[in-house]
Amino acid sequence: MRHTMSNLTDITPLRWLMRNPIWGFVLLVFIFFSLMSEHFFDYRNFQNILVQTSTIGLIALGMTLVMINGNIDLSVGATLALAAAFAVDVQSWAMFATWGNWQILPAVSLALLVGILMGAINGFIVWKTGVDAFIVTLGAMLGIRGLVFVYTGESSFYAMNFAYSDFSALSVGPFPVLALIFLACTLIVHLVLSRTVHGRNTYAVGGNREAAVNAGIRVGPHMMVNFMIIGFLAALSGVLLSTQMGAATPNLGRDYELWVITAVVLGGTKLTGGKGDIIGTLGGVLAIGILRNGMNLMQVPAFYVYVILGSILIAVLFLDKRFNRTANGGLRL
């Protein structure tokens, strides 16, 4: 009887919130802005939040895998921009001039392949050289961003196909298509991480890389796959963002890596690897989206969002360090 009662206690909403504190924060900011703005509690505003967070959210899904592995990818914003440039520009190539709306297919396919290729290159270099992923992807961020400026000639590409530029306005019932794509990808990555061998290996590699090697996990190829996944998701985010704007600019996606890493860390993924989940990342993405949207409705200057999120992120990292020190009986460096 006691055992049964204990199990029931473990699944109470309060206990779940204690294990996933980011959702408590999401609830708090949701209630706060509902009271502070009469326009916040409107279903069209909720649609805006989901659409606005979908591009950052897609990359955050891949970043969760990479960071659980104990790595990081700073090149996602640049990869987004490069993929968007290809997605828009390829539609204007002479070989696809008579394809009509079908010209969108090779353009988007090539853009996604570019994202996968950029991820594969990052993963391969990390695997074969042993150089820290932070350094590798920092170099990739600068190199790919330079490549974007070279490819675009420092100018913007504009989508001439209205079927492409109007895609972001499509809805299925009350749900925007961009939000549905993000939620579908969230479910897929969650299932991969929680129900597959690849997911279990992701935690194993991030938790103890030497033990993972001894267990027979091919750590290098495994990490390379996760870099390819984040490259694909960054490219997909670039494609969707370019449909919203109807254009691709050289500076597209700048600072996205910072927003993404903030969302993933707020969601509970450790910078040192071995811990994190997609449910937490979803909470981190929504927290940022609600905070930015609510402060915009209250006409608060945008830079205050950076101040608040920076303060929250530092507090989260500080508390995590304190809990680790308490759990281990000393400071963990």
Side-chain angles (χ1 to χ4, degrees):
M1 185 66 176
R2 288 181 180 177
H3 181 70
T4 304
M5 290 299 292
S6 175
N7 288 342
L8 289 174
T9 303
D10 287 342
I11 60 174
T12 60
L14 181 59
R15 185 65 65 91
W16 187 85
L17 280 176
M18 290 176 64
R19 294 175 179 173
N20 302 273
I22 186 59
W23 285 97
F25 180 73
V26 169
L27 182 61
L28 286 175
V29 293
F30 183 86
I31 294 172
F32 175 78
F33 289 120
S34 297
L35 297 174
M36 296 300 294
S37 174
E38 61 182 27
H39 301 294
F40 181 79
F41 210 81
D42 184 298
Y43 85 94
R44 286 169 297 186
N45 188 53
F46 295 154
Q47 288 178 327
N48 289 335
I49 292 173
L50 285 174
V51 170
Q52 291 165 4
T53 57
S54 60
T55 49
I56 290 176
L58 283 170
I59 308 174
L61 300 177
M63 189 68 79
T64 303
L65 297 176
V66 170
M67 287 178 63
I68 291 175
N69 258 169
N71 296 311
I72 200 165
D73 190 346
L74 300 178
S75 67
V76 289
T79 299
L80 179 155
L82 184 62
F86 270 99
V88 175
D89 184 50
V90 171
Q91 296 177 52
S92 65
W93 288 4
M95 68 178 73
F96 303 124
T98 61
W99 284 40
N101 289 341
W102 286 104
Q103 65 189 196
I104 296 173
L105 183 61
V108 171
S109 298
L110 183 58
L112 297 178
L113 286 173
V114 165
I116 293 172
L117 177 61
M118 294 300 102
I121 292 173
N122 283 338
F124 185 78
I125 294 173
V126 172
W127 168 22
K128 290 299 184 179
T129 66
V131 176
D132 191 272
F134 181 92
I135 302 300
V136 172
T137 58
L138 178 62
M141 176 182 72
L142 300 174
I144 297 172
R145 183 66 68 178
L147 185 60
V148 173
F149 277 93
V150 170
Y151 181 73
T152 61
E154 300 184 42
S155 60
S156 299
F157 291 155
Y158 296 94
M160 298 293 105
N161 191 317
F162 292 114
Y164 183 83
S165 56
D166 291 342
F167 178 79
S168 62
L170 297 178
S171 296
V172 178
F175 302 103
V177 168
L178 296 191
L180 291 176
I181 292 173
F182 167 51
L183 294 175
C185 289
T186 299
L187 178 60
I188 292 170
V189 179
H190 170 68
L191 292 175
V192 168
L193 191 55
S194 61
R195 302 290 179 86
T196 68
V197 173
H198 181 81
R200 291 193 294 272
N201 289 348
T202 298
Y203 286 105
V205 170
N208 190 322
R209 193 164 297 181
E210 184 177 346
V213 171
N214 293 334
I217 298 173
R218 299 184 65 199
V219 171
H222 168 84
M223 293 192 301
M224 185 172 170
V225 168
N226 281 338
F227 274 107
M228 292 169 69
I229 291 173
I230 194 174
F232 169 82
L233 290 170
L236 178 59
S237 180
V239 171
L240 297 182
L241 191 57
S242 66
T243 66
Q244 288 180 268
M245 300 177 60
T249 65
N251 284 313
L252 198 66
R254 191 173 291 277
D255 294 334
Y256 261 49
E257 57 277 351
L258 302 180
W259 288 107
V260 167
I261 293 169
T262 300
V264 174
V265 172
L266 288 178
T269 300
K270 288 185 177 295
L271 290 170
T272 52
K275 182 181 178 183
D277 58 64
I278 297 301
I279 301 301
T281 294
L282 177 61
V285 169
L286 290 178
I288 291 176
I290 293 171
L291 195 60
R292 295 175 70 180
N293 177 269
M295 294 184 74
N296 183 54
L297 290 176
M298 293 174 62
Q299 298 183 336
V300 177
F303 61 83
Y304 279 111
V305 178
Y306 290 93
V307 174
I308 292 173
L309 279 176
S311 301
I312 293 171
L313 182 60
I314 291 171
V316 167
L317 294 174
F318 174 76
L319 291 173
D320 180 65
K321 197 73 171 179
R322 294 283 295 180
F323 287 143
N324 284 334
R325 182 172 62 184
T326 302
N328 297 324
L331 182 61
R332 191 174 76 176
L333 299 175

